[in-house]
Amino acid sequence: MARKELAKAYEPWDVEEKWENHWEENKTFTPDAEAEGDPYSIVIPPPNVTGVLHMGHALNLTIMDILCRFNRQQGKNVLWVPGMDHAGIATQNVVERQLKEEGLTRHDLGREKFIERVWDWKQEKGDHILGQIRRMGASVDWSRECFTFDDQRAKAVRKVFVELFEQGLIYKGDYIINWCNRCHTALADDEVEHEPKPGKLHHVEYKLSDGSGTLTIATTRPETMLGDTAIAVNPEDDRFNHLIGKTAILPIVGRELPIIGDKYVDIEFGTGCLKVTPAHDMNDWELGRKHNLEIISVLNEDGVVNENAPEKYQGLDTVAARKLILEELDALGQLKSIEEHDHKVGVCYRCKSVIEPHVSTQWFVSMKPLAEKARAAVPSKTQIFPEHWTKTYYNWLDEIRDWCISRQIWWGHRIPAWTCEDCGELIVAIDDPTSCTKCGSANIVRDEDVLDTWFSSALWPFSTMGWPDDTKELAKYYPTACLVTGFDILFFWVARMMMMGLQFMDQIPFHHVYIHALVRDENGKKMSKSTGNVIDPLDMIGKYGADALRFTLTSFAAMGRDIKLSEQRIEGYKHFMNKIWNATRFAMMNLPDEIPAVELSEADGLANQWILHRLEEVKKSIAKATEEYRFNEIAQILYKFIWSEFCDWYLEMVKPALYGEDEQAKAVTQKVLWTVLSETMVLLHPVTPFITQEIWSVLPRPAGDDRSEDIATLPFPDTRDECLNDAVVKEMELFMGVVSGTRNIRTELLIEPAKKLDLLIKTVSDEDKAVLEANVTLIQSLARVDAVTIGPDVKAPKASGAAVVQGNELSVPLEGVVDFESELARLDKNMVKLEKTMKGVSGKLSNPGFVNNAPEEVVEGEKRKLAEMEEEKTKLSELKARLESVMG
């Protein structure tokens, strides 16, 4: 059989496509639930079908894939379920925008046709999303792909809704909810984003009904005063507590408002008096319920003033109504003042429209009983990494309100509830009823609303494994091992999965939750299209390959620390992929078709013993770092070992053995080289699956090695404690110190690489002398020196470059090597030229006209230029001093 070869250069794109197809066609990552091996399972945070892969997804996928591939290497039975979220509001908005371009609305199509249209759109975009996951090299089980709106998930959603209803944990009622006028639907509290916005604080005078005086109230929303039903003061506020029990007149409307006392009122804010509008403020709603106040809604669902307000305001939007109210208050002399006031305004997390509190009949989940269980499970059953997110998790659960789960849209799981038009009976059922369960009438109407997207997502860990059916997947893989997600959905998703898992499976949904950091730009700014600093992962894969991107993200994934990413970093790690490739090509040129059957215990020589020792240390460090979610350390360990130790030192040190005539030394070195390279590929595989797979597939094998060509199926390399050798590490540190010290002398004194040098080493011990003498040929080769003199009595000539390594004195004689006078003259000339240039740049920067009028980037460029020249000046000065000291 012809020997397989690596291409001259690493071209990741063909390699990636080849192995993506291989893994999927061979179902490499499709586990058998009845097979041996401890279970390890992960469910993917399902990306929205509306989305495209961004760097947060890329980081998330990379981390999950490292965990899954590593745990397969540990012999575990690994299941990683892929899937997507139907993303109710977001998806409906996208399709409605398409319809708008066609001059249509969803109502023109009707509910059934509109949903068909969304399914068509989902099919097109969903395939695109899944293709992006493939491009990242995610080792998911495609045979078990799920969608939050497919038939099996719909079955789970229905069962959960009905059971929660029957347990009294789902109810329907009037409540104040967050209403998006743009999306025309209710939103849960955590679907509202609060953004700082400039506003105004309006001071309005309310007259007491008995004519005994007035009260001034500060409000940011004068348009809602049309719905005021009380005035509240703090009973501990001596300025106003004597007014509790009296009434005041609502300006413009003329309605009498009771003055109530409640400690909720902030004495320090505004005037200390609060207008209470239960229908248009969340906190006022609670005050209204507590004090049994009338609820008057003056805005309808599209944000327009309705019939409950005076006629002249009806039909106006909030902006126009506010303007007219302020004009009328001013004319009445009851608008006392207006001041600037910055405050936080709630906006829709999808369309960014301002949220309007709105009283409406909705469906709710009673959260406190569920939240108590979810809180108690952390950290006793589920641990959160980093640990500080536990406090955030607790805070949210402690302050939780009932969850509004109904949405006034069409795309989503329709609420399984029917109302009898004849007797009013409410029917909640898993199977669609045909008649009223109370009176038998066939005149029943299904609820129009659908469920919040997060309702179906909350069931994801067990619904993806076939629940409510009793499946072998549930028995084997639930609870899952680890959830990897961003902190922004700790409330939306993580806590709700905890609640539902405990409620319906009587078990936590995951043992660990790993919260990964944000991916920001290189300056630490959030990536956004408007800022123009977005780095598209698919673009980066197209330029540098998936492995380079994955390694970059891994190298920065320090627990609890945001990632500052730049394209230059990804390009840099593409060079690392090339380094691995070229090192393998060198190895392949020096390895036989069949690896020698040599025992590693026979490995001799400093290089072989040292690299085998380091390989064992790397194995242990990689395993520990992965188990502790220290992903950046995995990358750092591998990078240092491969580039600095294996490539820069080991491969250089073994060239004499590989090129030499000693067949035994060659065979031993070939076996060590093959062992280290092949096992390093296995260690590196979870981070960079494609390049390691390609390399593994072409490496020659020892006789009898019938392991699969698929590196993804290989176990984590066995440990060889017999290869650990602390003494050889000490010897290697001395050797590297001597070589590096000699190289530094050459570099610092600007001695040309081709110049022949001698090396003198005054040793401090017989042990060090023996180590250096045993490796003198390697020192000559790697340090590029001719004669090497070693011993305790070695004396250096006056003109010598010097260094000290572990107490051993290195000297490089410079007589006849360096022309000191010419070199000093050259340095002086360069210094004069540099100082002249620096003077010009300093003059610019000291000129206010330039600094104040030139573009900021130009000024910053000049500052950088000056800093670089100052650094260069320091280096020239240090070199001059070094030469003068050598001259004596």
Side-chain angles (χ1 to χ4, degrees):
M1 183 185 293
R3 176 169 173 167
K4 297 176 183 178
E5 298 288 346
L6 281 183
K8 287 185 178 180
Y10 178 51
E11 300 293 343
W13 308 279
D14 292 341
V15 169
E16 289 169 9
E17 185 177 8
K18 175 174 74 174
W19 292 112
E20 281 170 18
N21 293 336
H22 168 86
W23 288 325
E24 194 164 344
E25 288 167 6
N26 288 276
K27 296 191 174 182
T28 305
F29 308 122
T30 298
D32 179 354
E34 297 174 345
E36 293 181 357
D38 292 337
Y40 184 93
S41 57
I42 282 184
V43 289
I44 198 169
N48 287 349
V49 71
T50 57
V52 293
L53 195 70
H54 57 66
M55 275 300 172
H57 290 123
L59 172 64
N60 191 278
L61 287 167
T62 299
I63 289 173
M64 286 188 286
D65 199 38
I66 290 171
L67 292 173
C68 286
R69 290 180 187 267
F70 171 79
N71 278 282
R72 288 191 194 95
Q73 292 178 340
Q74 302 302 311
K76 293 183 181 177
N77 189 325
V78 177
L79 172 65
W80 184 9
V81 177
M84 292 181 298
D85 196 303
H86 66 282
I89 296 172
T91 304
Q92 178 154 320
N93 280 347
V94 170
V95 178
E96 284 198 82
R97 282 197 294 271
Q98 286 185 340
L99 290 175
K100 188 176 181 181
E101 291 174 4
E102 300 169 21
L104 298 170
T105 70
R106 61 179 162 127
H107 300 286
D108 294 325
L109 270 66
R111 186 167 193 146
E112 190 174 324
K113 291 290 184 185
F114 176 77
I115 291 174
E116 286 178 12
R117 176 78 175 251
V118 183
W119 271 110
D120 291 342
W121 185 88
K122 176 267 171 188
Q123 199 59 46
E124 174 190 345
K125 295 299 179 183
D127 289 345
H128 183 60
I129 296 287
L130 299 177
Q132 294 172 343
I133 295 173
R134 284 182 174 90
R135 297 266 333 252
M136 283 297 300
S139 59
V140 298
D141 177 5
W142 290 110
S143 72
R144 289 181 169 96
E145 178 193 328
C146 299
F147 183 49
T148 56
F149 200 26
D150 62 25
D151 290 343
Q152 187 62 33
R153 267 37 69 183
K155 188 176 177 181
V157 165
R158 275 229 180 172
K159 183 173 177 63
V160 166
F161 186 95
V162 171
E163 289 195 10
L164 288 176
F165 179 80
E166 290 173 348
Q167 293 163 10
L169 293 173
I170 281 183
Y171 64 91
K172 189 176 186 182
D174 287 343
Y175 204 83
I176 191 164
I177 46 90
N178 304 292
W179 182 263
C180 177
N181 295 327
R182 160 65 184 80
C183 298
H184 295 287
T185 187
L187 297 176
D189 289 345
D190 43 20
E191 292 174 316
V192 178
E193 296 176 353
H194 295 275
E195 298 179 351
K197 294 199 176 198
K200 298 183 187 299
L201 202 56
H202 309 83
H203 290 76
V204 180
E205 182 183 77
Y206 287 59
K207 294 178 181 178
L208 296 175
S209 301
D210 61 7
S212 60
T214 62
L215 284 174
T216 300
I217 292 171
T219 179
T220 59
R221 301 198 63 203
E223 67 275 12
T224 64
M225 66 183 289
L226 303 175
D228 286 0
T229 57
I231 293 172
V233 298
N234 193 308
E236 296 177 359
D237 189 343
D238 292 337
R239 296 172 298 171
F240 307 115
N241 53 13
H242 64 285
L243 299 176
I244 296 172
K246 291 191 174 187
T247 60
I249 303 298
L250 177 61
I252 299 174
V253 178
R255 185 163 59 245
E256 278 199 47
L257 306 177
I259 300 173
I260 62 175
D262 198 289
K263 289 184 179 180
Y264 165 77
V265 180
D266 184 353
I267 295 173
E268 302 298 325
F269 179 76
T271 65
C273 298
L274 179 74
K275 75 182 197 68
V276 184
T277 319
H280 297 288
D281 183 273
M282 297 291 185
N283 296 313
D284 290 6
W285 169 265
E286 296 299 334
L287 283 174
R289 291 213 301 179
K290 183 177 178 181
H291 294 276
N292 199 27
L293 300 177
E294 186 180 3
I295 297 169
I296 301 174
S297 177
V298 294
L299 296 173
N300 62 22
E301 291 182 354
D302 57 3
V304 170
V305 179
N306 63 24
E307 68 280 359
N308 293 328
E311 189 173 349
K312 57 183 152 185
Y313 298 103
Q314 294 175 18
L316 298 179
D317 62 24
T318 53
V319 175
R322 176 182 298 191
K323 183 173 182 294
L324 185 57
I325 286 169
L326 292 175
E327 288 173 354
E328 189 165 353
L329 287 171
D330 193 36
L332 292 170
Q334 289 180 275
L335 181 60
K336 294 305 179 183
S337 65
I338 301 176
E339 61 183 80
E340 299 299 320
H341 174 68
D342 292 341
H343 61 143
K344 288 191 174 180
V345 175
V347 297
C348 174
Y349 80 120
R350 287 299 180 194
C351 71
K352 307 305 177 187
S353 299
V354 174
I355 291 301
E356 185 67 53
H358 183 72
V359 177
S360 175
T361 302
Q362 301 286 343
W363 289 90
F364 296 86
V365 176
S366 181
M367 297 296 275
K368 286 198 180 296
L370 300 173
E372 287 169 3
K373 293 181 187 177
R375 193 188 196 286
V378 174
S380 60
K381 297 178 181 178
T382 297
Q383 287 181 273
I384 299 177
F385 300 86
E387 195 273 336
H388 68 80
W389 285 111
T390 302
K391 184 178 179 182
T392 308
Y393 173 84
Y394 287 158
N395 288 343
W396 185 71
L397 290 176
D398 290 344
E399 300 297 324
I400 200 166
R401 296 184 359 164
D402 286 357
W403 175 16
C404 176
I405 55 171
S406 44
R407 298 291 181 268
Q408 290 66 52
I409 58 175
W410 290 350
W411 174 248
H413 292 278
R414 196 164 174 183
I415 289 174
W418 292 257
T419 302
C420 178
E421 295 283 88
D422 293 336
C423 73
E425 178 72 0
L426 178 64
I427 307 151
V428 173
I430 289 178
D431 298 319
D432 291 6
T434 56
S435 61
C436 176
T437 54
K438 183 178 181 181
C439 71
S441 170
N443 190 17
I444 56 174
V445 178
R446 188 169 185 177
D447 197 300
E448 291 286 325
D449 292 350
V450 303
L451 288 164
D452 177 13
T453 298
W454 297 103
F455 192 93
S456 51
S457 301
L459 318 182
W460 194 243
F462 51 92
S463 70
T464 51
M465 295 181 191
W467 190 90
D469 297 337
D470 185 15
T471 66
K472 58 186 179 181
E473 284 81 7
L474 273 174
K476 179 77 171 181
Y477 299 111
Y478 189 91
T480 65
C482 180
L483 175 74
V484 180
T485 188
F487 70 87
D488 52 332
I489 53 176
L490 185 58
F491 318 133
F492 282 110
W493 193 44
V494 179
R496 289 172 179 164
M497 285 191 287
M498 286 288 287
M499 294 180 201
M500 294 302 184
L502 289 163
Q503 185 72 10
F504 289 92
M505 299 297 296
D506 200 28
Q507 284 181 299
I508 53 170
F510 20 73
H511 293 290
H512 290 169
V513 177
Y514 178 81
I515 306 291
H516 64 71
L518 286 176
V519 184
R520 300 182 179 274
D521 72 10
E522 59 188 313
N523 299 312
K525 293 181 180 177
K526 185 178 179 181
M527 290 188 187
S528 68
K529 290 181 181 178
S530 59
T531 309
N533 62 346
V534 170
I535 302 176
D536 188 316
L538 294 178
D539 288 346
M540 296 301 98
I541 291 172
K543 278 186 176 183
Y544 308 113
D547 286 336
L549 174 62
R550 287 170 59 118
F551 198 93
T552 306
L553 292 170
T554 306
S555 69
F556 284 98
M559 192 181 294
R561 193 184 311 157
D562 285 351
I563 292 173
K564 294 181 180 180
L565 185 67
S566 68
E567 183 173 343
Q568 289 72 26
R569 295 282 191 178
I570 303 168
E571 184 179 13
Y573 285 119
K574 172 61 164 66
H575 297 322
F576 180 47
M577 297 304 113
N578 291 338
K579 184 83 169 179
I580 295 167
W581 191 262
N582 291 333
T584 304
R585 280 179 51 78
F586 169 81
M588 295 282 286
M589 288 187 285
N590 290 280
L591 291 175
D593 291 346
E594 187 174 295
I595 302 302
V598 176
E599 293 296 326
L600 291 174
S601 58
E602 299 175 19
D604 56 2
L606 178 61
N608 286 331
Q609 291 180 343
W610 169 72
I611 201 68
L612 287 172
H613 170 93
R614 284 293 299 127
L615 178 62
E616 292 309 305
E617 290 185 320
V618 167
K619 289 177 192 175
K620 291 178 180 178
S621 298
I622 291 292
K624 191 170 189 291
T626 308
E627 288 162 0
E628 295 177 357
Y629 305 115
R630 292 182 283 110
F631 298 100
N632 61 312
E633 291 185 24
I634 299 170
Q636 291 162 8
I637 292 162
L638 288 166
Y639 186 89
K640 177 188 175 186
F641 179 68
I642 294 169
W643 191 301
S644 301
E645 297 176 335
F646 180 71
C647 294
D648 289 355
W649 286 102
Y650 177 72
L651 292 184
E652 293 301 317
M653 292 174 73
V654 297
K655 283 178 181 177
L658 293 173
Y659 300 159
E661 302 299 324
D662 186 335
E663 293 302 320
Q664 176 62 19
K666 182 184 292 188
V668 168
T669 300
Q670 287 171 336
K671 179 62 179 290
V672 173
L673 172 58
W674 178 85
T675 300
V676 175
L677 179 59
S678 62
E679 291 193 357
T680 300
M681 290 304 100
V682 178
L683 296 174
L684 184 61
H685 177 71
V687 183
T688 57
F690 294 113
I691 191 171
T692 52
Q693 173 62 74
E694 182 70 6
I695 288 171
W696 173 256
S697 71
V698 302
L699 282 178
R701 311 285 174 81
D705 186 341
D706 57 356
R707 285 179 292 175
S708 166
E709 283 195 0
D710 196 336
I711 197 172
T713 65
L714 298 188
F716 195 83
D718 290 335
T719 57
R720 300 185 196 87
D721 289 339
E722 68 274 12
C723 289
L724 289 169
N725 187 339
D726 292 335
V728 84
V729 174
K730 187 178 179 183
E731 292 176 11
M732 187 64 184
E733 286 173 352
L734 174 61
F735 173 83
M736 290 192 294
V738 168
V739 172
S740 299
T742 308
R743 289 172 175 174
N744 289 340
I745 292 170
R746 184 187 290 272
T747 301
E748 289 170 3
L749 296 176
L750 302 180
I751 302 171
E752 295 175 5
K755 283 270 189 183
K756 297 294 183 182
L757 301 178
D758 290 336
L759 175 61
L760 310 176
I761 308 174
K762 183 179 180 180
T763 55
V764 293
S765 69
D766 291 342
E767 290 82 6
D768 286 359
K769 180 175 181 290
V771 170
L772 296 174
E773 286 179 339
N775 293 285
V776 69
T777 304
L778 284 175
I779 292 172
Q780 290 172 312
S781 173
L782 271 66
R784 300 194 303 276
V785 296
D786 285 343
V788 180
T789 305
I790 303 169
D793 301 321
V794 171
K795 293 184 179 178
K798 185 177 180 181
S800 298
V804 179
V805 178
Q806 297 180 14
N808 299 282
E809 298 174 13
L810 312 185
S811 302
V812 174
L814 299 174
E815 194 68 44
V817 176
V818 177
D819 184 340
F820 293 102
E821 297 297 335
S822 297
E823 193 61 30
L824 288 170
R826 184 185 69 82
L827 290 174
D828 287 337
K829 183 178 178 181
N830 288 348
M831 185 73 81
V832 169
K833 183 179 178 182
L834 184 64
E835 287 175 340
K836 183 178 179 181
T837 307
M838 288 176 67
K839 186 176 179 182
V841 176
S842 296
K844 270 187 185 181
L845 292 172
S846 62
N847 180 357
F850 171 76
V851 174
N852 296 330
N853 298 320
E856 184 181 349
E857 61 269 21
V858 174
V859 176
E860 290 301 316
E862 292 297 308
K863 288 180 180 178
R864 281 195 301 274
K865 192 188 299 181
L866 182 61
E868 288 166 2
M869 288 188 289
E870 286 172 344
E871 186 178 343
E872 179 64 20
K873 182 180 177 181
T874 300
K875 288 180 180 177
L876 290 175
S877 299
E878 289 174 350
L879 179 55
K880 183 179 179 181
R882 182 81 186 269
L883 285 172
E884 289 172 341
S885 70
V886 169
M887 289 173 65

